[in-house]
Amino acid sequence: MAKVVVTGASGLLGRALYQTFKEEGFTVTGFAKSRVSAGLLSVDLLDSDELRARLRQLAPQVIVHSAAYRSPDQVEADAAAARRMNVHASQVIGEVAAELGAQLLYISTDYVFDGSSPPYKADDPPNPVNLYGQTKLEGERATLHACPGALVLRVPVLYGPVERLDESAVTVLLRCLLEPPAAGCAVSDLEKRYPAHVRDVADICHRLLEKQREDRAAVRGVYQWSGSETLTKYGMVRAMAAVFGLSAEHVTPTRAPPPAGTRRPLDSRLDTGRLAELGIGTHTPFAEGIEQCLSAWLEKKDAPQ
Ligand SMILES: NC(=O)c1ccc[n+]([C@@H]2O[C@H](COP(=O)([O-])OP(=O)(O)OC[C@H]3O[C@@H](n4cnc5c(N)ncnc54)[C@H](OP(=O)(O)O)[C@@H]3O)[C@@H](O)[C@H]2O)c1
């Protein structure tokens, strides 16, 4: 049975990856840092020696590298740590994958593009507008340099089953429906997003790696996935209100530029052509996906402790 290592296995996407590869019959080892319940292994990716030793000892046939510092504000606050995590750890993983002859898939982001002329093809020139996008781009390059046969999968904003609403930039929007501020709530109707369900992304990762096993020479380099619905934050709030029968009367759309702070791309829609050529793509309709994920969260929240 093939052995898979999933980094960031306690995270939003990592949990779905861990589950999908298990269900597909792989022997999965999940790396995490602080949330190491449920059989995950504590491995600090900032400790290169520990990371190398763990990977060599496990000798997996497949590595899915999902761990990252992925909050743009967190990255700006500690750029050096973010570089060590998003770039240097990715390079170390690439080096060990090459040494072991393992398949390697690095998860990246639409934030490598500036969002001024979508849709973006996988080989369009990147131009990140913030440090998070920059470090993820450098992580892609470090991965492909260390392990030229590696795969990179760029994904848009993600949602899925959450432990806390603020785990996802999508699910956090439910707060303005559950806890309406007295002064109402203005939500951006400007930046376009293409939310993807983590279960769809995990399925795509599995199928992409399967295709690569069939033809390692042809299937390599950068691939991209995008949800197929265009939604602003305001659109997502309206969709959630409709799904859960909540009032959104106090929510108003705003097209004002975001307040000062870390910049985000306006519309970094990803072209999914390279995946389509392989016959890969799964999109759960947003209303259906968000209902599943947030119903589970709402039930847990209301359950007696
Ligand atoms: N979320 C999005 O909307 C989105 C959008 C585009 C791309 N992406 C990309 O998708 C990937 C997954 O993101 P996500 O949302 O699942 O992230 P997440 O929920 O923030 O999870 C991050 C993971 O990294 C682990 N981690 C953090 N520091 C670590 C360290 N020093 N050593 C080992 N592990 C460490 C965390 O472990 P502990 O929690 O156990 O400490 C956690 O498992 C990332 O590469 C991200 O850039 C995400």
Side-chain angles (χ1 to χ4, degrees), residues 251-266:
V251 184
T252 50
T254 167
R255 295 186 59 79
T262 308
R263 276 184 69 199
R264 267 96 168 148
L266 268 184

Side-chain angles (χ1 to χ4, degrees), residues 87-136:
V87 188
H88 186 64
S90 304
Q91 182 185 324
V92 171
I93 291 169
E95 286 166 2
V96 184
E99 176 189 311
L100 297 173
Q103 288 182 273
L104 170 59
L105 170 52
Y106 168 88
I107 304 292
S108 191
T109 170
D110 57 338
Y111 275 33
V112 298
F113 295 114
D114 63 19
S116 61
S117 53
Y120 292 94
K121 291 210 158 63
D123 58 359
D124 280 344
N127 182 33
V129 295
N130 61 35
L131 196 57
Y132 165 66
Q134 181 62 36
T135 60
K136 290 296 290 182

Side-chain angles (χ1 to χ4, degrees), residues 8-14 32-35 43-46 66-70 85 107-109 132 136 155-158 167:
S10 55
L12 180 67
L13 175 60
K33 171 82 189 309
S34 50
R35 290 174 285 171
V43 179
D44 185 355
L45 267 58
L46 298 181
S66 181
Y69 288 173
R70 57 102 171 149
M85 180 68 185
I107 304 292
S108 191
T109 170
Y132 165 66
K136 290 296 290 182
V155 297
V157 68
L158 302 175
E167 255 200 301

Side-chain angles (χ1 to χ4, degrees), residues 61-213:
Q61 283 82 36
V62 179
I63 303 171
V64 185
H65 179 29
S66 181
Y69 288 173
R70 57 102 171 149
S71 148
D73 299 322
Q74 177 195 12
V75 168
E76 302 283 341
D78 193 346
R83 268 221 156 75
R84 281 165 59 219
M85 180 68 185
N86 293 356
V87 188
H88 186 64
S90 304
Q91 182 185 324
V92 171
I93 291 169
E95 286 166 2
V96 184
E99 176 189 311
L100 297 173
Q103 288 182 273
L104 170 59
L105 170 52
Y106 168 88
I107 304 292
S108 191
T109 170
D110 57 338
Y111 275 33
V112 298
F113 295 114
D114 63 19
S116 61
S117 53
Y120 292 94
K121 291 210 158 63
D123 58 359
D124 280 344
N127 182 33
V129 295
N130 61 35
L131 196 57
Y132 165 66
Q134 181 62 36
T135 60
K136 290 296 290 182
L137 177 62
E138 289 173 23
E140 289 186 3
R141 289 174 174 162
T143 299
L144 292 169
H145 181 73
C147 184
L151 294 160
V152 167
L153 180 67
R154 294 182 183 140
V155 297
V157 68
L158 302 175
Y159 70 95
V162 283
E163 294 171 350
R164 303 179 322 270
L165 287 181
D166 64 3
E167 255 200 301
S168 152
V170 175
T171 54
V172 75
L173 297 169
L174 183 68
R175 276 193 190 148
C176 76
L177 296 175
L178 295 181
E179 303 151 17
C185 192
V187 178
S188 172
D189 197 25
L190 184 66
E191 295 155 336
K192 292 187 176 137
R193 298 291 178 253
Y194 305 85
H197 194 306
V198 289
R199 193 188 47 210
D200 294 345
V201 174
D203 178 59
I204 287 162
C205 291
H206 169 249
R207 289 167 66 197
L208 182 56
L209 285 156
E210 219 173 33
K211 286 282 179 194
Q212 190 186 49
R213 266 194 299 285

